[in-house]
Amino acid sequence: MPSLTLPECPHYIPPPETKEDLEFADLPIIDLSKAHTPEGRAELYPQLRDALRTHGFLYAINHGHTQAQRDRVFDVAGVPFDSVSPDEKKMYTADVEKVGYYAGYKPRQFWKVDTENQILDQIEHYAINLNVTKRPHPTAVRPFLPELDDFARHNHFNILHPILRLIALSLELPEETLVEKHNFDRTGETSVRFMKYYRRSNDEEEKSKNVWLKGHTDIGSITILWSQPIGGLQIMAPDGKWKWVRHIDNGLVINTGDMMTFLTGGYYKPTIHRVIQPPSDQRAYDRLGAYYFAMPDNDVRLLPCAESPVLKRAGIERQCPDDDSPSCETWRKGRTTSYGRTDLKKGVERGVEEEVIEGIVVKHYN
């Protein structure tokens, strides 16, 4: 078979890894290649369970993409930011507060990072629905749609679904229980998202105490981050300290979000994480990232899997009465339209700000 010629784009050259002596989170690593057999899944699910219950985050390796394929993803990730004019970007910028999802561009200076000092973010997004042809794209992005479709499918079927099967096994549920709530061909807003964190002024760094994205939990069920060389991501460790997430070449960083807490009755709680200024030896670079933000289908009610023997033994922590449980679509819209836009109220805990979404308190951490 002749090799396919891929459309050209600038090659992403990552900076050297930091040499700084940072306090890294001790996250477990799971080998996803073992998830292809029943025996492998039986070995993996206790590892995943313990990692997510302890840290809320884990690394995954051997996910089916080579280093060259991963490098190509980062080449393509730069196209929406570097090959599209500002005027054309405006044509593909969604009114997030109106539609309740990220589609196309989220411009810089859209979110409030520090309300008191009026500091806004310097993060640009380009979000693509898992059905990559669902919405139009800028001219420069269109030649890459076949590759973006392959990337979405790889994330969905070769990473997300195996992770969901392991979670179901950990709850002593049929393997497909959560997979059936995360279909590829149903209406929903699971998305590929590319993000570019631009360097900030000294004044912005000082006023925001070097925080680029304040402590938060993710909206969806599972987040897949393709490990990026430039540091900045920190998680709130079990000891209550912020710790850095280490880069692993061609590795994935996987965490659970709000919707998984609903579905597992609090058994899998999302871990607070944030993004801060990179280490000093990487501050001359903008920070580029590639993600897959997974959510159940729009019409899935966010009810606990109460039939789980594990949850029956452990006890179910409901976020709200079952009759009031929101749908995935309702929760997504509430969280997405308010995130970084509303004025938060100071919480009881030190450094915590709060808002209420669908009657449920959502916390943000500084």
Side-chain angles (χ1 to χ4, degrees):
M1 178 187 292
S3 60
L4 297 177
T5 302
L6 299 176
E8 293 184 1
C9 60
H11 179 54
Y12 173 72
I13 301 175
E17 291 189 41
T18 181
K19 299 296 192 295
E20 285 197 19
D21 183 20
L22 305 175
E23 188 173 9
F24 287 104
D26 186 20
L27 300 180
I29 301 174
I30 67 167
D31 183 349
L32 270 184
S33 67
K34 297 181 178 180
H36 300 308
T37 66
E39 297 79 13
R41 292 192 290 277
E43 176 187 343
L44 284 183
Y45 86 74
Q47 299 174 22
L48 175 137
R49 175 197 62 209
D50 295 346
L52 293 181
R53 295 262 292 164
T54 302
H55 304 278
F57 276 70
L58 56 81
Y59 297 113
I61 59 172
N62 297 329
H63 45 73
H65 259 21
T66 65
Q67 182 70 43
Q69 287 173 304
R70 176 265 177 207
D71 292 346
R72 175 65 178 180
V73 167
F74 274 75
D75 293 348
V76 175
V79 171
F81 309 115
D82 303 331
S83 301
V84 181
S85 70
D87 285 342
E88 191 177 8
K89 286 180 180 180
K90 291 177 183 177
M91 296 168 56
Y92 297 94
T93 298
D95 185 345
V96 174
E97 292 176 285
K98 180 179 180 181
V99 300
Y101 53 78
Y102 294 111
Y105 291 96
K106 180 209 75 72
R108 297 158 70 176
Q109 298 193 315
F110 183 77
W111 290 332
K112 300 173 184 176
V113 176
D114 187 305
T115 304
E116 184 177 343
N117 292 302
Q118 297 298 303
I119 300 298
L120 301 176
D121 76 284
Q122 292 291 357
I123 306 165
E124 189 176 20
H125 284 186
Y126 189 72
I128 307 164
N129 186 272
L130 79 171
N131 174 2
V132 301
T133 60
K134 182 175 182 177
R135 300 184 181 102
H137 300 277
T139 303
V141 175
R142 294 170 199 165
F144 301 94
L145 289 181
E147 290 179 82
L148 291 170
D149 179 62
D150 287 345
F151 184 62
R153 291 175 183 275
H154 178 68
N155 278 277
H156 204 88
F157 294 112
N158 300 332
I159 302 169
L160 172 64
H161 278 186
I163 291 293
L164 293 175
R165 291 188 181 103
L166 294 176
I167 291 176
L169 286 172
S170 77
L171 298 173
E172 299 176 14
L173 291 168
E175 286 191 6
E176 301 302 301
T177 299
L178 295 172
V179 168
E180 290 168 356
K181 300 179 188 295
H182 294 75
N183 292 284
F184 194 84
D185 55 358
R186 295 279 297 279
T187 303
E189 289 301 333
T190 289
S191 65
V192 171
R193 194 179 306 174
F194 300 135
M195 300 172 65
K196 189 169 184 177
Y197 293 72
Y198 292 84
R199 287 159 282 178
R200 305 192 313 178
S201 69
N202 291 334
D203 183 59
E204 288 174 313
E205 295 291 3
E206 182 179 349
K207 288 182 177 178
S208 67
K209 299 180 177 62
N210 305 117
V211 173
W212 286 16
L213 195 60
K214 66 175 64 178
H216 65 283
T217 58
D218 287 345
I219 296 171
S221 52
I222 297 289
T223 299
I224 301 167
L225 160 66
W226 289 70
S227 186
Q228 53 202 132
I230 299 181
L233 177 61
Q234 293 186 328
I235 69 168
M236 181 71 77
D239 62 6
K241 296 180 180 178
W242 290 110
K243 294 187 179 178
W244 296 77
V245 173
R246 188 188 303 274
H247 169 61
I248 295 180
D249 276 343
N250 199 27
L252 307 173
V253 180
I254 294 175
N255 64 281
T256 57
D258 294 346
M259 293 184 189
M260 189 59 70
T261 303
F262 281 104
L263 295 173
T264 64
Y267 192 77
Y268 288 112
K269 294 181 172 67
T271 289
I272 304 154
H273 53 287
R274 68 179 184 178
V275 178
I276 68 167
Q277 185 181 34
S280 58
D281 55 357
Q282 294 185 323
R283 290 177 188 168
Y285 304 89
D286 293 325
R287 188 171 180 267
L288 184 66
Y291 306 76
Y292 195 69
F293 286 99
M295 301 182 188
D297 306 336
N298 270 354
D299 59 0
V300 169
R301 287 281 304 285
L302 297 177
L303 289 163
C305 295
E307 68 277 20
S308 161
V310 171
L311 297 189
K312 288 178 181 177
R313 294 193 297 269
I316 295 175
E317 297 178 20
R318 287 176 166 81
Q319 307 303 303
C320 59
D322 284 356
D323 289 345
D324 297 331
S325 291
S327 67
C328 171
E329 181 178 25
T330 300
W331 182 254
R332 168 182 46 78
K333 286 183 175 180
R335 285 281 268 127
T336 302
T337 56
S338 67
Y339 184 82
R341 303 292 285 174
T342 57
D343 290 327
L344 304 174
K345 296 181 179 179
K346 287 189 177 182
V348 177
E349 302 168 67
R350 183 175 178 271
V352 175
E353 297 171 307
E354 297 179 349
E355 60 180 330
V356 177
I357 307 293
E358 295 297 314
I360 300 167
V361 175
V362 175
K363 296 180 180 181
H364 303 261
Y365 298 80
N366 284 325

